[in-house]
PDB file of all heavy atoms in Angstrom:
ATOM      1  N   THR M  22     113.302  93.490   0.682  1.00 40.00           N
ATOM      2  CA  THR M  22     112.919  94.575  -0.223  1.00 40.00           C
ATOM      3  C   THR M  22     113.732  95.831   0.026  1.00 40.00           C
ATOM      4  O   THR M  22     113.361  96.919  -0.377  1.00 40.00           O
ATOM      5  CB  THR M  22     111.427  94.903  -0.026  1.00 40.00           C
ATOM      6  OG1 THR M  22     111.216  95.277   1.340  1.00 40.00           O
ATOM      7  CG2 THR M  22     110.560  93.707  -0.347  1.00 40.00           C
ATOM      8  N   GLU M  23     114.875  95.701   0.679  1.00 38.00           N
ATOM      9  CA  GLU M  23     115.627  96.870   1.088  1.00 38.00           C
ATOM     10  C   GLU M  23     116.393  97.502  -0.055  1.00 38.00           C
ATOM     11  O   GLU M  23     116.668  98.690  -0.068  1.00 38.00           O
ATOM     12  CB  GLU M  23     116.577  96.469   2.215  1.00 38.00           C
ATOM     13  CG  GLU M  23     117.253  97.623   2.921  1.00 38.00           C
ATOM     14  CD  GLU M  23     117.975  97.136   4.157  1.00 38.00           C
ATOM     15  OE1 GLU M  23     117.319  96.639   5.069  1.00 38.00           O
ATOM     16  OE2 GLU M  23     119.196  97.245   4.201  1.00 38.00           O
ATOM     17  N   SER M  24     116.781  96.731  -1.025  1.00 37.00           N
ATOM     18  CA  SER M  24     117.569  97.280  -2.114  1.00 37.00           C
ATOM     19  C   SER M  24     117.278  96.526  -3.385  1.00 37.00           C
ATOM     20  O   SER M  24     116.660  95.475  -3.378  1.00 37.00           O
ATOM     21  CB  SER M  24     119.072  97.179  -1.777  1.00 37.00           C
ATOM     22  OG  SER M  24     119.452  95.826  -1.681  1.00 37.00           O
ATOM     23  N   GLY M  25     117.746  97.056  -4.465  1.00 38.00           N
ATOM     24  CA  GLY M  25     117.556  96.380  -5.741  1.00 38.00           C
ATOM     25  C   GLY M  25     118.424  95.161  -5.834  1.00 38.00           C
ATOM     26  O   GLY M  25     119.325  94.952  -5.041  1.00 38.00           O
ATOM     27  N   ALA M  26     118.169  94.348  -6.832  1.00 39.00           N
ATOM     28  CA  ALA M  26     118.938  93.121  -6.992  1.00 39.00           C
ATOM     29  C   ALA M  26     120.390  93.460  -7.211  1.00 39.00           C
ATOM     30  O   ALA M  26     120.736  94.229  -8.103  1.00 39.00           O
ATOM     31  CB  ALA M  26     118.400  92.327  -8.178  1.00 39.00           C
ATOM     32  N   PRO M  27     121.287  92.917  -6.402  1.00 40.00           N
ATOM     33  CA  PRO M  27     122.699  93.256  -6.531  1.00 40.00           C
ATOM     34  C   PRO M  27     123.297  92.589  -7.747  1.00 40.00           C
ATOM     35  O   PRO M  27     122.922  91.492  -8.130  1.00 40.00           O
ATOM     36  CB  PRO M  27     123.303  92.705  -5.234  1.00 40.00           C
ATOM     37  CG  PRO M  27     122.415  91.570  -4.860  1.00 40.00           C
ATOM     38  CD  PRO M  27     121.048  91.954  -5.319  1.00 40.00           C
ATOM     39  N   SER M  28     124.211  93.266  -8.344  1.00 38.00           N
ATOM     40  CA  SER M  28     124.930  92.670  -9.466  1.00 38.00           C
ATOM     41  C   SER M  28     126.233  92.140  -8.944  1.00 38.00           C
ATOM     42  O   SER M  28     126.816  92.699  -8.019  1.00 38.00           O
ATOM     43  CB  SER M  28     125.192  93.723 -10.557  1.00 38.00           C
ATOM     44  OG  SER M  28     125.926  94.808  -9.999  1.00 38.00           O
ATOM     45  N   PRO M  29     126.697  91.055  -9.501  1.00 40.00           N
ATOM     46  CA  PRO M  29     127.940  90.469  -9.006  1.00 40.00           C
ATOM     47  C   PRO M  29     129.107  91.425  -9.175  1.00 40.00           C
ATOM     48  O   PRO M  29     129.190  92.159 -10.153  1.00 40.00           O
ATOM     49  CB  PRO M  29     128.100  89.206  -9.867  1.00 40.00           C
ATOM     50  CG  PRO M  29     127.275  89.467 -11.066  1.00 40.00           C
ATOM     51  CD  PRO M  29     126.130  90.333 -10.636  1.00 40.00           C
ATOM     52  N   THR M  30     129.994  91.436  -8.196  1.00 40.00           N
ATOM     53  CA  THR M  30     131.172  92.283  -8.265  1.00 40.00           C
ATOM     54  C   THR M  30     132.098  91.771  -9.362  1.00 40.00           C
ATOM     55  O   THR M  30     132.451  90.593  -9.404  1.00 40.00           O
ATOM     56  CB  THR M  30     131.927  92.252  -6.928  1.00 40.00           C
ATOM     57  OG1 THR M  30     131.022  92.662  -5.896  1.00 40.00           O
ATOM     58  CG2 THR M  30     133.136  93.152  -6.956  1.00 40.00           C
ATOM     59  N   PRO M  31     132.484  92.639 -10.271  1.00 39.00           N
ATOM     60  CA  PRO M  31     133.343  92.182 -11.361  1.00 39.00           C
ATOM     61  C   PRO M  31     134.641  91.635 -10.812  1.00 39.00           C
ATOM     62  O   PRO M  31     135.274  92.264  -9.961  1.00 39.00           O
ATOM     63  CB  PRO M  31     133.580  93.460 -12.187  1.00 39.00           C
ATOM     64  CG  PRO M  31     132.479  94.390 -11.791  1.00 39.00           C
ATOM     65  CD  PRO M  31     132.163  94.068 -10.392  1.00 39.00           C
ATOM     66  N   PRO M  32     135.027  90.466 -11.250  1.00 39.00           N
ATOM     67  CA  PRO M  32     136.273  89.896 -10.754  1.00 39.00           C
ATOM     68  C   PRO M  32     137.473  90.690 -11.245  1.00 39.00           C
ATOM     69  O   PRO M  32     137.435  91.317 -12.305  1.00 39.00           O
ATOM     70  CB  PRO M  32     136.267  88.476 -11.339  1.00 39.00           C
ATOM     71  CG  PRO M  32     135.411  88.575 -12.553  1.00 39.00           C
ATOM     72  CD  PRO M  32     134.371  89.616 -12.254  1.00 39.00           C
ATOM     73  N   LYS M  33     138.497  90.671 -10.410  1.00 40.00           N
ATOM     74  CA  LYS M  33     139.731  91.334 -10.818  1.00 40.00           C
ATOM     75  C   LYS M  33     140.333  90.630 -12.026  1.00 40.00           C
ATOM     76  O   LYS M  33     140.282  89.417 -12.146  1.00 40.00           O
ATOM     77  CB  LYS M  33     140.739  91.317  -9.665  1.00 40.00           C
ATOM     78  CG  LYS M  33     140.268  92.133  -8.451  1.00 40.00           C
ATOM     79  CD  LYS M  33     141.305  92.083  -7.351  1.00 40.00           C
ATOM     80  CE  LYS M  33     140.856  92.906  -6.154  1.00 40.00           C
ATOM     81  NZ  LYS M  33     141.869  92.865  -5.063  1.00 40.00           N
ATOM     82  N   ALA M  34     140.876  91.412 -12.874  1.00 39.00           N
ATOM     83  CA  ALA M  34     141.502  90.826 -14.075  1.00 39.00           C
ATOM     84  C   ALA M  34     142.648  89.934 -13.655  1.00 39.00           C
ATOM     85  O   ALA M  34     143.468  90.301 -12.825  1.00 39.00           O
ATOM     86  CB  ALA M  34     142.014  91.946 -14.991  1.00 39.00           C
ATOM     87  N   ALA M  35     142.652  88.760 -14.195  1.00 40.00           N
ATOM     88  CA  ALA M  35     143.696  87.804 -13.834  1.00 40.00           C
ATOM     89  C   ALA M  35     144.556  87.502 -15.049  1.00 40.00           C
ATOM     90  O   ALA M  35     144.066  87.456 -16.174  1.00 40.00           O
ATOM     91  CB  ALA M  35     143.066  86.517 -13.307  1.00 40.00           C
ATOM     92  N   LYS M  36     145.811  87.312 -14.803  1.00 41.00           N
ATOM     93  CA  LYS M  36     146.694  86.909 -15.885  1.00 41.00           C
ATOM     94  C   LYS M  36     146.398  85.478 -16.268  1.00 41.00           C
ATOM     95  O   LYS M  36     146.303  84.611 -15.414  1.00 41.00           O
ATOM     96  CB  LYS M  36     148.151  87.025 -15.426  1.00 41.00           C
ATOM     97  CG  LYS M  36     148.579  88.470 -15.133  1.00 41.00           C
ATOM     98  CD  LYS M  36     150.039  88.512 -14.718  1.00 41.00           C
ATOM     99  CE  LYS M  36     150.479  89.943 -14.414  1.00 41.00           C
ATOM    100  NZ  LYS M  36     151.905  89.984 -14.004  1.00 41.00           N
ATOM    101  N   LEU M  37     146.236  85.248 -17.534  1.00 38.00           N
ATOM    102  CA  LEU M  37     145.924  83.900 -17.969  1.00 38.00           C
ATOM    103  C   LEU M  37     147.148  83.025 -17.803  1.00 38.00           C
ATOM    104  O   LEU M  37     148.230  83.333 -18.299  1.00 38.00           O
ATOM    105  CB  LEU M  37     145.480  83.915 -19.439  1.00 38.00           C
ATOM    106  CG  LEU M  37     144.162  84.637 -19.712  1.00 38.00           C
ATOM    107  CD1 LEU M  37     143.851  84.578 -21.199  1.00 38.00           C
ATOM    108  CD2 LEU M  37     143.029  84.035 -18.915  1.00 38.00           C
TER     109      LEU M  37
END
Side-chain angles (χ1 to χ4, degrees):
T22 59
E23 191 170 297
S24 64
S28 58
T30 303
K33 295 180 179 180
K36 295 181 180 180
L37 294 180

